[in-house]
Amino acid sequence: STMASASTLFWRFVPHTLSFKFQAFVSVALVLVQPLLTVALLWTGKQLVDDVLTAGETGSLAMLGSLAAAIIAARIAAEYWTEVVEAGVVQGITQSLRVRLYNHVMSVSPGSLGSETTGTTLSRLQSNTEQTEYLIFTGPIAIAADGMAAIAFCITLFVLSWQLALITLLALPGIIWFTWQFAPYVRRAARQSRRAEAHWMSLAEERLEAQPMVQAFQGEGLETQAFEHRTGRARNREVKTITLMARQALLIEAVGSIGGLAVIGAGAHLIASGAMTTGTLLAFFGALGSAFAPVRALAKASGRIQQAAAGAQRVAEILDLPSRVTERPGAKALAMPRGKIEFRNVSFAYPGADPVLLGVSFVVEPGETVALVGPSGSGKSSLIRLLLRFYDPDDGQVLVDGIDVRDLTLASLRSTVAAVFQEPYIVSGSIVENIRRVTPGVAAGKVAAAASAAAVDAFTDPLPGGLMSAAGPRGTNLSGGQRQRIALARALVKEAPVLVLDEATAAVDGETEDIIHAAIAKAGRKMTTLIVAHRLSSVRHADRVIVLDQGRIVECGSPADLFAGPSRARELFASQVSTPRLAA
Protein backbone atom coordinates (compact mmCIF):
# COMPACT_ATOMS: atom_id res chain seq x y z
CA SER A 1 0.00 0.00 0.00
CA THR A 2 1.08 3.61 -0.49
CA MET A 3 2.79 5.36 2.39
CA ALA A 4 0.26 7.18 4.53
CA SER A 5 1.04 10.43 6.29
CA ALA A 6 1.74 10.46 10.02
CA SER A 7 -1.51 12.35 10.66
CA THR A 8 -3.56 9.82 8.65
CA LEU A 9 -2.01 6.96 10.59
CA PHE A 10 -2.61 8.83 13.86
CA TRP A 11 -6.34 9.23 13.22
CA ARG A 12 -6.60 5.64 12.05
CA PHE A 13 -5.12 4.10 15.21
CA VAL A 14 -6.07 6.67 17.89
CA PRO A 15 -9.35 4.81 18.73
CA HIS A 16 -7.14 2.28 20.53
CA THR A 17 -6.62 4.94 23.25
CA LEU A 18 -10.35 5.33 24.01
CA SER A 19 -10.42 2.44 26.48
CA PHE A 20 -7.84 4.30 28.56
CA LYS A 21 -9.18 7.86 28.21
CA PHE A 22 -9.42 8.52 31.96
CA GLN A 23 -5.86 7.35 32.64
CA ALA A 24 -4.70 9.30 29.59
CA PHE A 25 -6.37 12.45 30.93
CA VAL A 26 -4.66 12.00 34.32
CA SER A 27 -1.34 11.43 32.53
CA VAL A 28 -1.75 14.63 30.50
CA ALA A 29 -2.62 16.64 33.62
CA LEU A 30 0.43 15.31 35.45
CA VAL A 31 2.88 16.07 32.66
CA LEU A 32 1.45 19.57 32.13
CA VAL A 33 1.71 20.53 35.81
CA GLN A 34 5.40 19.60 36.06
CA PRO A 35 6.84 22.62 34.16
CA LEU A 36 4.62 24.94 36.23
CA LEU A 37 6.11 23.47 39.40
CA THR A 38 9.60 24.00 37.96
CA VAL A 39 8.81 27.65 37.19
CA ALA A 40 7.54 28.09 40.75
CA LEU A 41 10.79 26.59 42.04
CA LEU A 42 12.86 28.95 39.89
CA TRP A 43 11.00 32.00 41.27
CA THR A 44 11.49 30.72 44.81
CA GLY A 45 15.20 30.29 44.10
CA LYS A 46 15.40 33.84 42.71
CA GLN A 47 13.84 35.22 45.87
CA LEU A 48 16.25 33.23 48.04
CA VAL A 49 19.28 34.64 46.18
CA ASP A 50 18.07 38.25 45.98
CA ASP A 51 16.33 38.60 49.38
CA VAL A 52 18.28 36.24 51.63
CA LEU A 53 21.80 35.82 50.17
CA THR A 54 22.21 39.28 48.59
CA ALA A 55 20.00 41.57 50.74
CA GLY A 56 20.50 39.57 53.96
CA GLU A 57 16.78 39.38 54.85
CA THR A 58 17.05 36.10 56.83
CA GLY A 59 13.51 36.41 58.20
CA SER A 60 12.04 35.00 54.98
CA LEU A 61 14.51 32.09 54.84
CA ALA A 62 12.25 29.61 56.68
CA MET A 63 9.21 30.44 54.56
CA LEU A 64 11.08 30.32 51.23
CA GLY A 65 12.91 27.13 52.24
CA SER A 66 9.65 25.43 53.23
CA LEU A 67 8.02 26.55 49.97
CA ALA A 68 10.94 25.21 47.92
CA ALA A 69 10.77 21.86 49.76
CA ALA A 70 7.01 21.60 49.15
CA ILE A 71 7.42 22.36 45.44
CA ILE A 72 10.21 19.77 45.12
CA ALA A 73 8.07 17.14 46.89
CA ALA A 74 5.11 17.92 44.61
CA ARG A 75 7.31 17.66 41.50
CA ILE A 76 8.76 14.31 42.62
CA ALA A 77 5.25 12.97 43.29
CA ALA A 78 4.04 14.21 39.88
CA GLU A 79 6.99 12.53 38.13
CA TYR A 80 6.37 9.25 39.98
CA TRP A 81 2.66 9.10 39.20
CA THR A 82 3.28 10.13 35.61
CA GLU A 83 5.56 7.10 35.18
CA VAL A 84 3.04 4.75 36.84
CA VAL A 85 -0.05 5.98 34.97
CA GLU A 86 1.70 6.24 31.61
CA ALA A 87 3.09 2.71 31.93
CA GLY A 88 -0.42 1.30 32.29
CA VAL A 89 -1.75 3.27 29.32
CA VAL A 90 1.22 2.48 27.09
CA GLN A 91 1.09 -1.26 27.79
CA GLY A 92 -2.69 -1.33 27.39
CA ILE A 93 -2.62 0.42 24.02
CA THR A 94 0.24 -1.77 22.79
CA GLN A 95 -1.63 -4.90 23.82
CA SER A 96 -4.80 -3.67 22.08
CA LEU A 97 -2.84 -3.09 18.86
CA ARG A 98 -1.13 -6.47 19.09
CA VAL A 99 -4.40 -8.31 19.69
CA ARG A 100 -6.04 -6.59 16.72
CA LEU A 101 -3.10 -7.38 14.42
CA TYR A 102 -2.81 -10.98 15.69
CA ASN A 103 -6.55 -11.54 15.24
CA HIS A 104 -6.35 -10.29 11.65
CA VAL A 105 -3.37 -12.50 10.82
CA MET A 106 -5.07 -15.52 12.39
CA SER A 107 -8.40 -14.84 10.64
CA VAL A 108 -7.41 -14.28 7.02
CA SER A 109 -7.39 -17.31 4.76
CA PRO A 110 -4.10 -18.95 3.68
CA GLY A 111 -2.30 -17.03 0.94
CA SER A 112 -3.95 -13.72 1.85
CA LEU A 113 -0.73 -12.30 3.31
CA GLY A 114 1.28 -12.97 0.17
CA SER A 115 5.00 -13.32 0.86
CA GLU A 116 4.65 -12.36 4.52
CA THR A 117 6.72 -14.74 6.68
CA THR A 118 6.25 -15.69 10.32
CA GLY A 119 9.39 -13.77 11.26
CA THR A 120 8.16 -10.62 9.53
CA THR A 121 4.79 -10.90 11.27
CA LEU A 122 6.52 -11.31 14.64
CA SER A 123 8.50 -8.14 13.93
CA ARG A 124 5.26 -6.25 13.26
CA LEU A 125 3.70 -7.65 16.43
CA GLN A 126 6.72 -6.73 18.52
CA SER A 127 8.39 -3.48 17.53
CA ASN A 128 5.93 -2.00 15.03
CA THR A 129 3.02 -2.07 17.48
CA GLU A 130 5.23 -0.27 20.02
CA GLN A 131 6.02 2.39 17.41
CA THR A 132 2.32 2.73 16.59
CA GLU A 133 1.59 3.28 20.28
CA TYR A 134 4.27 6.03 20.33
CA LEU A 135 2.58 7.69 17.34
CA ILE A 136 -0.87 7.82 18.95
CA PHE A 137 -0.09 8.33 22.65
CA THR A 138 3.45 8.60 23.99
CA GLY A 139 4.59 10.88 21.15
CA PRO A 140 1.67 13.33 21.33
CA ILE A 141 1.84 13.38 25.15
CA ALA A 142 5.56 14.14 24.97
CA ILE A 143 4.94 16.91 22.43
CA ALA A 144 2.17 18.39 24.63
CA ALA A 145 4.39 18.22 27.71
CA ASP A 146 7.40 19.68 25.91
CA GLY A 147 5.23 22.35 24.30
CA MET A 148 3.74 23.34 27.65
CA ALA A 149 7.19 23.41 29.24
CA ALA A 150 8.64 25.46 26.39
CA ILE A 151 5.80 28.02 26.62
CA ALA A 152 6.01 28.25 30.42
CA PHE A 153 9.77 28.69 30.43
CA CYS A 154 9.74 31.11 27.49
CA ILE A 155 7.20 33.33 29.30
CA THR A 156 9.38 33.12 32.39
CA LEU A 157 12.41 34.17 30.33
CA PHE A 158 10.60 37.26 29.01
CA VAL A 159 9.35 38.18 32.46
CA LEU A 160 12.85 37.92 33.89
CA SER A 161 14.63 39.73 31.00
CA TRP A 162 13.11 40.51 27.66
CA GLN A 163 16.53 41.50 26.28
CA LEU A 164 18.12 38.11 27.01
CA ALA A 165 14.95 36.32 25.88
CA LEU A 166 15.14 37.98 22.45
CA ILE A 167 18.76 36.88 22.07
CA THR A 168 17.70 33.34 22.94
CA LEU A 169 14.91 33.38 20.33
CA LEU A 170 17.39 34.10 17.54
CA ALA A 171 18.42 30.42 17.70
CA LEU A 172 14.89 29.11 17.01
CA PRO A 173 14.76 29.58 13.20
CA GLY A 174 17.92 27.51 12.80
CA ILE A 175 16.58 24.76 15.05
CA ILE A 176 13.26 24.61 13.18
CA TRP A 177 14.95 24.58 9.77
CA PHE A 178 17.24 21.66 10.64
CA THR A 179 14.28 19.75 12.07
CA TRP A 180 12.20 19.90 8.90
CA GLN A 181 15.16 19.24 6.62
CA PHE A 182 15.97 15.95 8.28
CA ALA A 183 12.45 14.59 8.93
CA PRO A 184 11.79 12.75 5.62
CA TYR A 185 15.26 11.18 5.60
CA VAL A 186 14.82 9.92 9.15
CA ARG A 187 11.48 8.32 8.33
CA ARG A 188 12.82 6.59 5.21
CA ALA A 189 15.86 5.27 7.09
CA ALA A 190 13.67 4.06 9.97
CA ARG A 191 11.38 2.20 7.57
CA GLN A 192 14.35 0.47 5.92
CA SER A 193 15.75 -0.40 9.35
CA ARG A 194 12.52 -2.06 10.48
CA ARG A 195 12.29 -4.02 7.22
CA ALA A 196 15.86 -5.28 7.63
CA GLU A 197 15.11 -6.30 11.21
CA ALA A 198 12.09 -8.29 10.03
CA HIS A 199 14.25 -10.05 7.42
CA TRP A 200 16.73 -11.42 9.94
CA MET A 201 13.94 -12.46 12.31
CA SER A 202 12.25 -14.31 9.45
CA LEU A 203 15.45 -16.14 8.52
CA ALA A 204 16.19 -17.09 12.13
CA GLU A 205 12.65 -18.40 12.71
CA GLU A 206 12.82 -20.55 9.55
CA ARG A 207 16.35 -21.90 10.04
CA LEU A 208 15.94 -22.67 13.74
CA GLU A 209 13.01 -24.92 12.86
CA ALA A 210 15.28 -26.72 10.38
CA GLN A 211 18.12 -27.20 12.89
CA PRO A 212 18.26 -31.04 12.62
CA MET A 213 18.56 -30.82 8.82
CA VAL A 214 21.20 -28.09 9.08
CA GLN A 215 23.32 -30.15 11.45
CA ALA A 216 22.86 -33.37 9.48
CA PHE A 217 24.26 -31.66 6.37
CA GLN A 218 26.92 -29.71 8.32
CA GLY A 219 25.40 -26.41 7.26
CA GLU A 220 25.95 -24.53 10.53
CA GLY A 221 28.68 -22.36 9.02
CA LEU A 222 26.66 -21.41 5.95
CA GLU A 223 23.56 -20.65 8.01
CA THR A 224 25.55 -18.54 10.46
CA GLN A 225 27.02 -16.61 7.52
CA ALA A 226 23.53 -15.99 6.12
CA PHE A 227 22.34 -14.86 9.56
CA GLU A 228 25.39 -12.63 9.97
CA HIS A 229 24.77 -11.08 6.56
CA ARG A 230 21.14 -10.22 7.33
CA THR A 231 21.83 -8.96 10.84
CA GLY A 232 24.70 -6.92 9.39
CA ARG A 233 22.30 -5.24 6.96
CA ALA A 234 19.90 -4.55 9.84
CA ARG A 235 22.77 -3.11 11.89
CA ASN A 236 23.85 -0.83 9.04
CA ARG A 237 20.28 0.40 8.54
CA GLU A 238 19.84 1.09 12.25
CA VAL A 239 23.21 2.86 12.45
CA LYS A 240 22.21 5.00 9.46
CA THR A 241 18.95 5.99 11.18
CA ILE A 242 20.71 6.83 14.44
CA THR A 243 23.45 8.72 12.56
CA LEU A 244 20.85 10.88 10.81
CA MET A 245 19.12 11.64 14.10
CA ALA A 246 22.47 12.33 15.78
CA ARG A 247 23.50 14.67 12.96
CA GLN A 248 20.21 16.52 13.35
CA ALA A 249 20.74 16.74 17.13
CA LEU A 250 24.34 17.93 16.66
CA LEU A 251 23.34 20.83 14.43
CA ILE A 252 20.53 21.81 16.79
CA GLU A 253 22.92 21.58 19.75
CA ALA A 254 25.45 23.79 17.95
CA VAL A 255 22.86 26.48 17.25
CA GLY A 256 21.66 26.33 20.86
CA SER A 257 25.21 26.55 22.25
CA ILE A 258 25.99 29.65 20.19
CA GLY A 259 22.81 31.24 21.51
CA GLY A 260 23.80 30.30 25.08
CA LEU A 261 27.21 31.99 24.74
CA ALA A 262 25.51 35.14 23.49
CA VAL A 263 23.20 35.13 26.54
CA ILE A 264 26.14 34.77 28.96
CA GLY A 265 27.87 37.81 27.46
CA ALA A 266 24.76 39.95 27.47
CA GLY A 267 23.83 38.90 31.02
CA ALA A 268 27.26 39.80 32.36
CA HIS A 269 26.91 43.24 30.76
CA LEU A 270 23.43 43.81 32.31
CA ILE A 271 24.64 42.88 35.81
CA ALA A 272 27.66 45.15 35.46
CA SER A 273 25.39 48.06 34.47
CA GLY A 274 22.99 47.37 37.38
CA ALA A 275 20.06 46.54 35.08
CA MET A 276 19.78 42.97 36.41
CA THR A 277 20.24 41.23 39.77
CA THR A 278 22.33 38.11 40.29
CA GLY A 279 19.21 36.18 41.36
CA THR A 280 17.43 37.17 38.16
CA LEU A 281 20.37 36.01 36.00
CA LEU A 282 20.57 32.69 37.87
CA ALA A 283 16.81 32.21 37.51
CA PHE A 284 17.10 33.13 33.82
CA PHE A 285 19.78 30.48 33.27
CA GLY A 286 17.70 27.98 35.23
CA ALA A 287 14.68 28.73 33.01
CA LEU A 288 16.87 28.71 29.89
CA GLY A 289 18.35 25.34 30.84
CA SER A 290 14.88 24.01 31.62
CA ALA A 291 13.51 25.43 28.33
CA PHE A 292 16.32 24.05 26.22
CA ALA A 293 15.47 20.39 26.96
CA PRO A 294 11.81 20.59 25.82
CA VAL A 295 12.70 22.82 22.84
CA ARG A 296 15.37 20.33 21.79
CA ALA A 297 12.88 17.48 22.28
CA LEU A 298 10.33 19.35 20.15
CA ALA A 299 12.96 19.77 17.47
CA LYS A 300 13.57 16.02 17.49
CA ALA A 301 9.87 15.18 17.79
CA SER A 302 9.29 15.29 14.05
CA GLY A 303 11.99 12.69 13.44
CA ARG A 304 10.66 10.46 16.20
CA ILE A 305 7.10 10.80 14.95
CA GLN A 306 8.23 9.96 11.42
CA GLN A 307 10.10 6.93 12.78
CA ALA A 308 6.98 5.84 14.66
CA ALA A 309 4.86 6.45 11.54
CA ALA A 310 7.13 4.08 9.59
CA GLY A 311 6.29 1.36 12.14
CA ALA A 312 2.58 2.22 12.11
CA GLN A 313 2.65 2.00 8.30
CA ARG A 314 3.90 -1.61 8.57
CA VAL A 315 1.02 -2.46 10.92
CA ALA A 316 -1.45 -0.78 8.55
CA GLU A 317 -0.08 -2.72 5.57
CA ILE A 318 -1.06 -6.04 7.14
CA LEU A 319 -4.43 -4.82 8.43
CA ASP A 320 -5.22 -3.55 4.92
CA LEU A 321 -4.62 -6.96 3.32
CA PRO A 322 -8.08 -8.48 2.87
CA SER A 323 -8.78 -12.16 3.33
CA ARG A 324 -9.09 -14.04 0.04
CA VAL A 325 -12.02 -15.88 1.61
CA THR A 326 -14.74 -13.76 3.21
CA GLU A 327 -18.16 -14.51 4.61
CA ARG A 328 -20.98 -13.39 2.35
CA PRO A 329 -23.54 -10.92 3.73
CA GLY A 330 -26.54 -12.97 4.78
CA ALA A 331 -24.58 -16.21 5.10
CA LYS A 332 -26.58 -18.71 7.13
CA ALA A 333 -25.60 -21.25 9.73
CA LEU A 334 -25.85 -24.91 8.78
CA ALA A 335 -28.63 -26.30 10.97
CA MET A 336 -28.63 -30.00 11.90
CA PRO A 337 -25.80 -31.00 9.53
CA ARG A 338 -26.03 -34.54 8.11
CA GLY A 339 -22.58 -34.62 6.52
CA LYS A 340 -23.33 -34.95 2.81
CA ILE A 341 -20.45 -33.53 0.74
CA GLU A 342 -20.49 -32.73 -2.96
CA PHE A 343 -17.85 -31.35 -5.28
CA ARG A 344 -19.60 -30.14 -8.41
CA ASN A 345 -17.39 -29.49 -11.46
CA VAL A 346 -14.68 -27.90 -9.27
CA SER A 347 -11.63 -26.27 -10.84
CA PHE A 348 -8.95 -24.56 -8.78
CA ALA A 349 -5.46 -23.06 -8.98
CA TYR A 350 -3.37 -21.51 -6.22
CA PRO A 351 -2.55 -17.82 -6.84
CA GLY A 352 0.10 -17.52 -9.54
CA ALA A 353 0.30 -21.31 -10.11
CA ASP A 354 -0.99 -23.86 -12.61
CA PRO A 355 -4.42 -25.46 -12.02
CA VAL A 356 -4.42 -28.35 -9.53
CA LEU A 357 -8.09 -29.34 -10.01
CA LEU A 358 -9.92 -29.52 -13.34
CA GLY A 359 -13.67 -30.17 -13.33
CA VAL A 360 -13.76 -32.55 -10.35
CA SER A 361 -17.21 -33.90 -9.41
CA PHE A 362 -18.18 -36.50 -6.79
CA VAL A 363 -20.60 -36.98 -3.89
CA VAL A 364 -19.94 -38.43 -0.45
CA GLU A 365 -23.11 -39.59 1.26
CA PRO A 366 -23.68 -39.14 5.01
CA GLY A 367 -21.77 -41.80 6.95
CA GLU A 368 -19.74 -42.92 3.93
CA THR A 369 -15.96 -43.28 4.05
CA VAL A 370 -14.17 -42.20 0.88
CA ALA A 371 -10.42 -42.39 0.25
CA LEU A 372 -8.76 -39.85 -2.05
CA VAL A 373 -5.60 -41.24 -3.62
CA GLY A 374 -3.22 -40.17 -6.36
CA PRO A 375 0.35 -39.09 -6.98
CA SER A 376 1.75 -36.01 -5.23
CA GLY A 377 0.31 -32.80 -6.66
CA SER A 378 -2.82 -34.47 -8.03
CA GLY A 379 -5.11 -32.22 -5.96
CA LYS A 380 -6.12 -34.45 -3.01
CA SER A 381 -5.24 -32.03 -0.20
CA SER A 382 -6.59 -29.13 -2.26
CA LEU A 383 -10.05 -30.71 -2.09
CA ILE A 384 -9.79 -30.73 1.71
CA ARG A 385 -8.76 -27.05 1.77
CA LEU A 386 -11.72 -26.15 -0.46
CA LEU A 387 -14.10 -28.10 1.79
CA LEU A 388 -12.83 -26.14 4.82
CA ARG A 389 -13.00 -22.93 2.76
CA PHE A 390 -9.36 -22.03 3.23
CA TYR A 391 -9.72 -21.20 -0.47
CA ASP A 392 -12.65 -20.83 -2.87
CA PRO A 393 -12.81 -22.71 -6.19
CA ASP A 394 -12.16 -20.78 -9.39
CA ASP A 395 -15.08 -22.61 -10.97
CA GLY A 396 -17.77 -24.98 -9.76
CA GLN A 397 -19.20 -25.51 -6.28
CA VAL A 398 -18.42 -27.24 -3.02
CA LEU A 399 -21.62 -28.18 -1.19
CA VAL A 400 -22.40 -29.50 2.29
CA ASP A 401 -25.93 -30.92 2.68
CA GLY A 402 -26.74 -29.40 -0.71
CA ILE A 403 -25.73 -25.84 0.26
CA ASP A 404 -22.81 -24.03 -1.37
CA VAL A 405 -20.19 -23.53 1.36
CA ARG A 406 -19.91 -19.87 0.26
CA ASP A 407 -23.48 -19.37 1.48
CA LEU A 408 -22.68 -20.76 4.93
CA THR A 409 -21.13 -18.96 7.88
CA LEU A 410 -17.50 -19.95 8.29
CA ALA A 411 -18.13 -20.87 11.93
CA SER A 412 -20.94 -23.33 11.12
CA LEU A 413 -19.05 -24.85 8.19
CA ARG A 414 -15.90 -25.47 10.17
CA SER A 415 -17.79 -26.74 13.20
CA THR A 416 -19.26 -29.38 10.86
CA VAL A 417 -15.81 -30.66 9.88
CA ALA A 418 -13.12 -32.11 12.15
CA ALA A 419 -9.79 -32.22 10.34
CA VAL A 420 -6.54 -34.03 11.05
CA PHE A 421 -3.67 -32.77 8.92
CA GLN A 422 -0.35 -34.35 8.02
CA GLU A 423 1.26 -31.73 10.28
CA PRO A 424 -0.40 -32.44 13.66
CA TYR A 425 0.10 -28.91 15.11
CA ILE A 426 0.95 -29.68 18.72
CA VAL A 427 1.53 -26.67 20.98
CA SER A 428 3.16 -26.14 24.39
CA GLY A 429 1.16 -27.51 27.29
CA SER A 430 -0.06 -30.89 28.45
CA ILE A 431 -1.29 -33.67 26.17
CA VAL A 432 -4.85 -33.28 27.47
CA GLU A 433 -4.73 -29.52 26.78
CA ASN A 434 -3.77 -30.28 23.19
CA ILE A 435 -6.65 -32.73 22.83
CA ARG A 436 -9.25 -30.29 24.14
CA ARG A 437 -7.70 -27.16 22.55
CA VAL A 438 -10.60 -26.61 20.11
CA THR A 439 -13.25 -27.83 22.59
CA PRO A 440 -12.12 -26.39 25.96
CA GLY A 441 -15.43 -27.07 27.71
CA VAL A 442 -15.71 -30.75 26.77
CA ALA A 443 -16.22 -33.24 29.60
CA ALA A 444 -13.21 -35.16 30.92
CA GLY A 445 -14.93 -38.47 30.11
CA LYS A 446 -15.20 -37.57 26.43
CA VAL A 447 -11.55 -36.54 26.35
CA ALA A 448 -10.53 -39.87 27.88
CA ALA A 449 -12.72 -41.76 25.38
CA ALA A 450 -11.20 -39.87 22.43
CA ALA A 451 -7.70 -40.47 23.78
CA SER A 452 -8.46 -44.18 24.05
CA ALA A 453 -10.01 -44.33 20.57
CA ALA A 454 -6.95 -42.65 19.04
CA ALA A 455 -4.59 -44.94 21.01
CA VAL A 456 -3.14 -41.97 22.90
CA ASP A 457 -3.50 -43.82 26.20
CA ALA A 458 -1.18 -46.53 24.85
CA PHE A 459 1.79 -44.21 25.36
CA THR A 460 0.45 -41.90 28.11
CA ASP A 461 -0.60 -44.59 30.61
CA PRO A 462 3.00 -45.56 31.45
CA LEU A 463 3.95 -41.89 31.98
CA PRO A 464 3.87 -40.52 35.57
CA GLY A 465 1.61 -37.67 34.51
CA GLY A 466 -0.55 -39.67 32.12
CA LEU A 467 -2.58 -37.35 29.91
CA MET A 468 -1.32 -34.42 31.99
CA SER A 469 2.25 -35.02 30.78
CA ALA A 470 3.89 -32.13 28.90
CA ALA A 471 3.86 -32.31 25.12
CA GLY A 472 6.79 -29.90 24.86
CA PRO A 473 7.09 -26.91 22.48
CA ARG A 474 5.56 -28.02 19.17
CA GLY A 475 5.35 -31.55 20.57
CA THR A 476 9.13 -32.02 20.87
CA ASN A 477 8.66 -34.51 23.74
CA LEU A 478 6.69 -36.82 21.43
CA SER A 479 7.33 -38.95 18.37
CA GLY A 480 5.69 -38.18 15.05
CA GLY A 481 3.19 -41.01 15.51
CA GLN A 482 2.30 -39.86 19.03
CA ARG A 483 1.66 -36.33 17.79
CA GLN A 484 -0.62 -37.70 15.07
CA ARG A 485 -2.62 -39.70 17.61
CA ILE A 486 -3.13 -36.57 19.75
CA ALA A 487 -4.31 -34.66 16.66
CA LEU A 488 -6.76 -37.47 15.86
CA ALA A 489 -8.07 -37.47 19.45
CA ARG A 490 -8.56 -33.70 19.13
CA ALA A 491 -10.70 -34.29 16.03
CA LEU A 492 -12.69 -37.15 17.57
CA VAL A 493 -13.56 -35.20 20.73
CA LYS A 494 -15.11 -32.52 18.51
CA GLU A 495 -17.82 -35.03 17.47
CA ALA A 496 -18.36 -33.33 14.12
CA PRO A 497 -20.49 -35.04 11.44
CA VAL A 498 -17.58 -34.91 8.94
CA LEU A 499 -14.09 -36.24 9.66
CA VAL A 500 -11.19 -35.42 7.36
CA LEU A 501 -7.88 -37.30 7.58
CA ASP A 502 -5.23 -35.66 5.40
CA GLU A 503 -2.33 -38.14 5.64
CA ALA A 504 -3.27 -38.30 9.31
CA THR A 505 -1.92 -41.81 9.91
CA ALA A 506 1.24 -41.49 7.83
CA ALA A 507 3.48 -41.37 10.92
CA VAL A 508 1.92 -44.23 12.91
CA ASP A 509 2.73 -47.93 12.65
CA GLY A 510 0.41 -50.44 11.04
CA GLU A 511 -0.92 -51.87 14.31
CA THR A 512 -1.77 -48.43 15.68
CA GLU A 513 -3.38 -47.52 12.37
CA ASP A 514 -5.69 -50.54 12.64
CA ILE A 515 -6.66 -49.44 16.16
CA ILE A 516 -7.38 -45.91 14.94
CA HIS A 517 -9.49 -47.02 11.97
CA ALA A 518 -11.41 -49.41 14.21
CA ALA A 519 -12.06 -46.49 16.57
CA ILE A 520 -13.30 -44.32 13.70
CA ALA A 521 -15.62 -47.10 12.56
CA LYS A 522 -16.78 -47.61 16.15
CA ALA A 523 -17.46 -43.87 16.50
CA GLY A 524 -20.53 -44.51 14.39
CA ARG A 525 -21.66 -44.65 10.80
CA LYS A 526 -23.05 -41.17 11.33
CA MET A 527 -19.60 -39.71 10.56
CA THR A 528 -18.79 -38.91 6.96
CA THR A 529 -15.08 -39.57 6.50
CA LEU A 530 -12.68 -38.32 3.82
CA ILE A 531 -9.25 -39.94 3.86
CA VAL A 532 -6.27 -38.63 1.90
CA ALA A 533 -3.65 -41.37 1.98
CA HIS A 534 -0.61 -42.90 0.33
CA ARG A 535 -0.80 -46.13 2.35
CA LEU A 536 -2.89 -49.06 1.25
CA SER A 537 -3.64 -49.89 4.88
CA SER A 538 -5.56 -46.60 5.14
CA VAL A 539 -7.34 -46.97 1.80
CA ARG A 540 -8.65 -50.51 2.45
CA HIS A 541 -10.95 -49.22 5.21
CA ALA A 542 -12.86 -46.99 2.76
CA ASP A 543 -16.24 -47.70 1.19
CA ARG A 544 -15.04 -46.09 -2.03
CA VAL A 545 -11.73 -45.00 -3.49
CA ILE A 546 -11.45 -41.96 -5.78
CA VAL A 547 -8.24 -41.82 -7.82
CA LEU A 548 -6.99 -38.38 -8.89
CA ASP A 549 -4.29 -37.70 -11.45
CA GLN A 550 -3.25 -34.31 -12.81
CA GLY A 551 -6.28 -32.64 -11.24
CA ARG A 552 -8.91 -35.03 -12.65
CA ILE A 553 -10.75 -38.11 -11.39
CA VAL A 554 -9.47 -41.09 -13.36
CA GLU A 555 -11.02 -43.94 -11.35
CA CYS A 556 -13.67 -44.55 -8.70
CA GLY A 557 -14.83 -47.72 -7.02
CA SER A 558 -14.61 -49.98 -4.00
CA PRO A 559 -11.11 -51.05 -2.82
CA ALA A 560 -11.89 -54.67 -3.68
CA ASP A 561 -12.93 -53.80 -7.24
CA LEU A 562 -10.04 -51.44 -7.95
CA PHE A 563 -7.33 -53.72 -6.63
CA ALA A 564 -8.77 -56.93 -8.11
CA GLY A 565 -7.31 -56.28 -11.53
CA PRO A 566 -5.20 -53.79 -13.52
CA SER A 567 -6.02 -50.23 -12.48
CA ARG A 568 -4.44 -46.85 -11.81
CA ALA A 569 -5.05 -47.44 -8.10
CA ARG A 570 -3.17 -50.74 -8.27
CA GLU A 571 -0.24 -48.96 -9.98
CA LEU A 572 -0.12 -46.34 -7.20
CA PHE A 573 0.09 -49.03 -4.52
CA ALA A 574 2.15 -51.51 -6.52
CA SER A 575 4.75 -51.93 -3.79
CA GLN A 576 2.04 -52.66 -1.22
CA VAL A 577 -0.49 -54.73 -3.20
CA SER A 578 1.24 -58.06 -2.61
CA THR A 579 1.11 -57.69 1.16
CA PRO A 580 -1.28 -59.94 3.11
CA ARG A 581 -3.03 -56.85 4.49
CA LEU A 582 -4.77 -56.35 1.11
CA ALA A 583 -7.01 -59.33 1.69
CA ALA A 584 -8.69 -57.75 4.67
Side-chain angles (χ1 to χ4, degrees), residues 78-92:
E79 288 174 356
Y80 170 79
W81 285 109
T82 299
E83 290 282 337
V84 172
V85 175
E86 270 195 19
V89 178
V90 167
Q91 294 305 316

Side-chain angles (χ1 to χ4, degrees), residues 345-397:
N345 198 31
V346 169
S347 295
F348 173 69
Y350 292 101
D354 294 331
V356 290
L357 294 169
L358 296 162
V360 172
S361 296
F362 66 92
V363 178
V364 184
E365 296 296 337
E368 188 180 16
T369 297
V370 171
L372 301 172
V373 303
S376 296
S378 58
K380 307 181 298 297
S381 293
S382 298
L383 289 168
I384 303 302
R385 294 182 183 123
L386 291 173
L387 173 62
L388 287 163
R389 254 204 108 193
F390 290 164
Y391 298 89
D392 281 333
D394 300 323
D395 197 16
Q397 292 176 290

Side-chain angles (χ1 to χ4, degrees), residues 148-162:
M148 177 67 179
I151 291 168
F153 293 129
C154 284
I155 291 172
T156 303
L157 290 173
F158 273 95
V159 171
L160 290 168
S161 172
W162 64 266

Side-chain angles (χ1 to χ4, degrees), residues 553-571:
I553 294 177
V554 293
E555 281 178 352
C556 182
S558 70
D561 290 342
L562 290 179
F563 292 112
S567 66
R568 184 72 180 97
R570 193 180 178 91
E571 289 173 16

Side-chain angles (χ1 to χ4, degrees), residues 567-579:
S567 66
R568 184 72 180 97
R570 193 180 178 91
E571 289 173 16
L572 288 168
F573 296 96
S575 62
Q576 305 170 53
V577 164
S578 59
T579 64

Side-chain angles (χ1 to χ4, degrees), residues 42-126:
L42 287 170
W43 277 104
T44 305
K46 174 185 178 301
Q47 295 302 113
L48 276 168
V49 172
D50 287 344
D51 296 349
V52 179
L53 297 180
T54 305
E57 296 176 9
T58 55
S60 59
L61 177 60
M63 183 197 69
L64 290 172
S66 300
L67 181 59
I71 294 170
I72 291 169
R75 195 171 67 171
I76 291 171
E79 288 174 356
Y80 170 79
W81 285 109
T82 299
E83 290 282 337
V84 172
V85 175
E86 270 195 19
V89 178
V90 167
Q91 294 305 316
I93 293 171
T94 305
Q95 184 199 18
S96 172
L97 288 162
R98 282 180 177 149
V99 170
R100 180 182 171 191
L101 182 60
Y102 185 82
N103 179 66
H104 181 73
V105 171
M106 290 294 284
S107 301
V108 295
S109 61
S112 300
L113 300 182
S115 59
E116 179 84 359
T117 64
T118 303
T120 308
T121 304
L122 288 174
S123 172
R124 297 185 200 258
L125 284 167
Q126 182 187 15

Side-chain angles (χ1 to χ4, degrees), residues 19-41:
S19 299
F20 312 94
K21 52 183 179 289
F22 175 73
Q23 297 96 313
F25 174 79
V26 172
S27 181
V28 171
L30 287 168
V31 297
L32 293 183
V33 79
Q34 288 179 50
L36 300 178
L37 291 170
T38 304
V39 168
L41 187 62

